[in-house]
Amino acid sequence: METLKEGKEASKEEFPKVSVEEAYDTLKSMRVHGAGRIARFAATALRDYAKDAKARTSREYWGLVLKAGEKLRSARPTAVSLPNGVNYVLYGGRTSFESGGSVEDIRNATVNTADDFITSSLDSVKEIGEIGARRVKNGDVIITHCNSEAAMSILKKAYDMGKGIKVYCDETRPKFQGHKTAAALAAYGIDTTLICDSACRLTMSSADRTIVGCDAIAVNGALVNKIGTSQVATMAHEARVNFVVAAETYKLDFKTLTGELVDIEERDYTEIASKEWMTHNPKVKFSNPVFDVTPPEYIDFYVTEKGIVPPGAIFTLMKELYQYSEGAQATPAH
Ligand code: RUB
């Protein structure tokens, strides 16, 4: 996260101003989704809360900001970008609080750190596009899954470089985020085809590479991403097709360093069948896990804003960035 400290200018507003409660509901109901956007949306909501929160003492003010951060963090358990983004913002305020800052000092520190995070997150998506596009060849047939800004950044940059790519987008049941990807890529001018998830293996036989996004990276280099990603990786592995992951380094899940596992979010069953259908079929049980784990053996490399990282080097990268995480992830003192 070194890049977050470089004091880049805050970007234009990406999200409207909302209360912490509204932001929580928006995240929970996936009106804002995608790991990067989730993190920036939460950082924006926390920043705006910190701007307006009123308190008589630093302790009282810091307690309010912490509570808001905790609420936002709990909205989506799997996308580690959310706690990492919120923790980063809180780190700024906490440093000021612990060094005896006034309410205004803590407020300014929190707001500035949030702006740093937001700008850096957007910059990372661009950098990933630049780096990843160099690994795309002219005429490549590429499969993607779900809706990832980072993966799309590579595809768009490759197209901008005149690489004449053809992209197949999995629909990505149950929420069909692949439709969004297909619409965005086609609008950009890229030759885009939408396929249903079950057509992926057939399509893989004519693909050159797959490029997907990332919700979390575990210490062993495993990828956590939208449900179905591991199936795509298995098919790519079988067909000897390159499997590439576009991931900002704030998606590293530092708690996996100390043995904790990544929580896999289970969502409402009505995302996979209608209430009416359920009523008519009372004996049917449902399961709706929305993320899965792709083992490192199936991943060729991660494209991060810091460069290309093979899964076997994730441990080293985490160690390198841990100093930041230790401070940022620790629960700030009340
Ligand atoms: C979206 C998803 C995306 C990653 C990466 O899942 O799995 O591939 O979040 O996205 P959901 P990005 O729709 O459930 O949030 O590259 O935009 O951060």
Side-chain angles (χ1 to χ4, degrees), residues 30 33-36 76 146 148-150 177 214-215 225-226 251:
M30 289 180 62
H33 67 94
R76 298 281 311 267
C146 200
S148 157
E149 282 184 326
Q177 291 96 325
C214 166
D215 279 284
N225 195 48
K226 180 53 53 190
K251 294 172 181 173

Side-chain angles (χ1 to χ4, degrees), residues 123-141:
D123 287 349
S124 294
V125 172
K126 274 195 215 132
E127 284 154 12
I128 287 169
E130 303 270 345
I131 297 167
R134 294 188 197 122
R135 299 297 291 260
V136 173
K137 294 203 175 87
N138 192 20
D140 267 358
V141 173

